[in-house]
Amino acid sequence: MLGFFLAFIATMGPPIAPHIWNGGLDGGIRISTIVIGLGSCAAILLWFFWTLCFDIYRLIIRTPLPDSDTETK
């Protein structure tokens, strides 16, 4: 939610500090806020899919391996 909120807020409102650098500061602040917001969304999606793939892998590998002692007897 924070990432979406940051990306959404970066596109709203009047220029930020238009008297500094003739409004040039506004673009840097907005772009960095969009990058942080979308980057956090991408990081959460990557974490979610990594965890999902790991859980599926563990479910598939859960089949018990043969015990080495029972095979030799």
Side-chain angles (χ1 to χ4, degrees):
M1 290 297 293
L2 177 65
F4 178 75
F5 178 72
L6 286 174
F8 180 72
I9 289 299
T11 62
M12 294 175 52
I16 303 166
H19 57 284
I20 301 174
W21 290 337
N22 197 18
L25 182 63
D26 181 49
I29 291 172
R30 290 181 190 261
I31 289 173
S32 64
T33 307
I34 288 173
V35 168
I36 291 170
L38 295 179
S40 65
C41 289
I44 293 296
L45 284 174
L46 183 65
W47 170 80
F48 176 73
F49 284 118
W50 178 263
T51 305
L52 183 67
C53 290
F54 183 72
D55 288 341
I56 290 172
Y57 173 76
R58 297 254 335 222
L59 184 66
I60 292 171
I61 299 300
R62 182 173 266 173
T63 57
L65 297 173
D67 189 16
S68 61
D69 291 338
T70 57
E71 283 184 6
T72 58
K73 291 181 181 177

